[in-house]
DNA sequence: GCAATATGGATAGTATCACTAGCCATAAAG
DNA sequence: CTTTATGGCTAGTGATACTATCCATATTGC
């Protein structure tokens, strides 16, 4: 297929596809003449992945490029690949590192208590510590107090997710699964959580008066 | 306190605070003379909330304004307040609505099967449907296939969260708790999930060879 | 009492980002 | 054999989140 069809099938405009080609997000098509190229289904899938990363995950183009590069890297070990993808997906600004020290200690304590095997420089540690620190600075430590419940829930999910990814037969797409699963999984969980919250709040508080806390 | 101290205590520059005042994100201080104003601790907390919404949740300033307005609205019923906050936090672009029809049917089916009481126009429905549709267009339906596990996990968490919010004595801060809990909770869950994934992947795949899928 | 600094309020400017427009020579389609 | 599409290029655009600067007035330090 040529660029026009790629555009129609992906819903991305031709100039934007050209832009992604220029930026190196999308590999060039195979040239059939000096100014004619052929694109394959892999281009279509990659393009959809790019759109998901930009639109749904809100990643800046430069970060998308890093993610895709780590995805195409020849590193064979699945575990390391997952680590690389996680690193590429991380927020990048090294977290404030100011008063987060206590929060970070708390995170490392949690990791140790659960016996989690985590590289000490995993970016999620900083993200988590920063989040906890902000929660505390806002006077809302309920959430952070219950870290264990969250860890329980998330550990169960991760078990299924990693198993599902590892069982994929097509080695080529494993890394892609990791990216998609991480990013879209996050969104899926977030949306489901909102729905669950609405349900529970309807059940616990929504019934008659509409205000259960007047006193 | 005056603007200088507010700036020092929040870590936000004076010009940026002025910008937030102009944009109506931060209510004006109390004027003590024609050009002198006094800010209270509520301003400091509000400012930290604004930063969390912009930096951590990545909300655009305009959306932050909406969220804060819904937060300050006098609507008394907690359940409705939660709904309003969820609506203000939603992605705003009405989801593509194209081939998402099947995915949306799937979501409504899930809601019905679990007996969830959800308003039919809840924005999370669209978000979830879109996410599922994208997952399928990327050929990764494992995640979506296991929706029930996610719903289970998330329902348990929501139960605690709503109960925690509802038990807060300070009615003034309940809505703020909803915002903070929704946004920072999401981030907390996401970070924890990455850590759990890394642990599980180390356990299942990381051991010796580093490549369990060579065959 | 008085110079140095800070403040509230305003207008205008900047940096970044994700595209988008336009041009050209050549290729494909009708 | 004309119309449309393509690949490759440079330059421009619109949105967003601040920054910079200015001014008249207040406060602060001495």
């Amino acid at each position: 297929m040529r660029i026009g069809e790629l555009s129609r099938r992906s819903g991305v405009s031709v100039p934007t596809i050209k832009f992604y080609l220029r930026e190196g997000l999308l590999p060039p098509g195979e040239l059939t003449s000096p100014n004619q190229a052929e694109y394959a289904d892999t281009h279509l899938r990659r393009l959809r992945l790019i759109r998901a990363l930009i639109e749904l995950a809100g990643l800046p183009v430069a970060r998308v490029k890093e993610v895709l590069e780590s995805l195409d890297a020849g590193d064979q070990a699945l575990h390391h690949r997952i680590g690389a993808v996680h690193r590429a997906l991380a927020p990048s600004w090294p977290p404030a590192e100011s008063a987060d020290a206590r929060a970070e200690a708390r995170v490392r304590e949690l990791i140790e208590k659960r016996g989690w095997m985590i590289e000490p420089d995993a970016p999620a540690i900083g993200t988590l510590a920063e989040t906890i620190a902000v929660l505390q600075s806002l006077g809302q430590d309920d959430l952070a107090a219950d870290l264990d419940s969250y860890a329980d829930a998330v550990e169960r999910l991760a078990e299924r997710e990693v198993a599902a990814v590892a069982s994929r037969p097509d080695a080529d797409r494993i890394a892609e699964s990791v990216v998609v699963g991480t990013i879209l999984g996050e969104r899926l969980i977030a949306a489901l959580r909102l729905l669950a919250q609405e349900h529970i709040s309807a059940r616990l508080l929504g019934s008659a008066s509409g205000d259960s806390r007047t006193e």
Side-chain angles (χ1 to χ4, degrees), chain A residues 28-33 36-39 43:
Chain A
E30 196 175 351
L31 286 177
T32 58
S33 8
Q36 232 31 222
E38 182 72 14
Y39 301 94
H43 288 93

Side-chain angles (χ1 to χ4, degrees), chain A residues 169-193:
Chain A
D170 181 349
D172 231 19
R173 301 197 191 178
I174 284 186
E176 191 181 312
S177 294
V178 174
V179 174
V180 172
T182 301
I183 294 282
L184 293 194
E186 198 173 310
R187 204 178 156 84
L188 186 136
I189 291 171
L192 268 177
R193 184 167 84 114

Side-chain angles (χ1 to χ4, degrees), chain A residues 51-60 89 183-184 187:
Chain A
R51 291 308 297 168
L53 290 173
I54 290 178
E55 261 196 14
L56 303 188
L59 292 194
L89 289 174
I183 294 282
L184 293 194
R187 204 178 156 84

Side-chain angles (χ1 to χ4, degrees), chain A residues 17 29 58 79 104 115 146 152 154-155 186 194 198 202:
Chain A
I17 293 175
H79 173 55
E104 187 172 329
D146 210 18
D152 282 341
V154 130
E155 192 172 338
E186 198 173 310
L194 291 188
E198 183 171 337

Side-chain angles (χ1 to χ4, degrees), chain A residues 19-33:
Chain A
F19 169 70
Y20 292 154
L21 286 167
R22 281 201 303 281
E23 296 294 309
L25 299 194
L26 197 60
E30 196 175 351
L31 286 177
T32 58
S33 8

Side-chain angles (χ1 to χ4, degrees), chain A residues 44-161:
Chain A
L44 182 56
R45 223 179 53 241
R46 175 57 58 96
L47 195 45
R48 286 207 254 252
L49 178 59
I50 293 170
R51 291 308 297 168
L53 290 173
I54 290 178
E55 261 196 14
L56 303 188
L59 292 194
V61 165
R63 184 77 50 70
V64 172
K65 190 175 176 188
E66 287 169 31
V67 172
L68 295 177
E69 273 164 4
S70 90
L71 192 154
D72 293 330
D75 189 316
Q76 297 290 8
L78 179 49
H79 173 55
H80 292 143
R81 233 174 210 217
I82 290 177
V85 168
H86 281 183
R87 215 146 303 163
L89 289 174
S92 88
W93 352 287
E97 73 181 285
S98 54
D100 297 3
R102 262 184 319 168
E104 187 172 329
R106 182 120 181 262
V107 171
R108 296 197 185 275
E109 190 187 330
L110 173 86
I111 290 173
E112 186 163 7
K113 208 180 72 191
R114 303 191 73 92
W116 278 359
M117 296 177 287
I118 309 260
E119 295 188 26
D121 63 336
I125 292 176
T127 308
L128 184 52
E130 193 192 5
T131 305
I132 292 173
V134 171
L135 275 170
Q136 285 169 344
S137 91
L138 285 167
Q140 315 272 154
D141 2 33
D142 307 63
L143 263 177
D146 210 18
L147 223 48
D148 258 314
S149 307
Y150 288 95
D152 282 341
V154 130
E155 192 172 338
R156 268 194 299 272
L157 295 178
E159 196 111 23
R160 291 162 169 276
E161 290 166 342

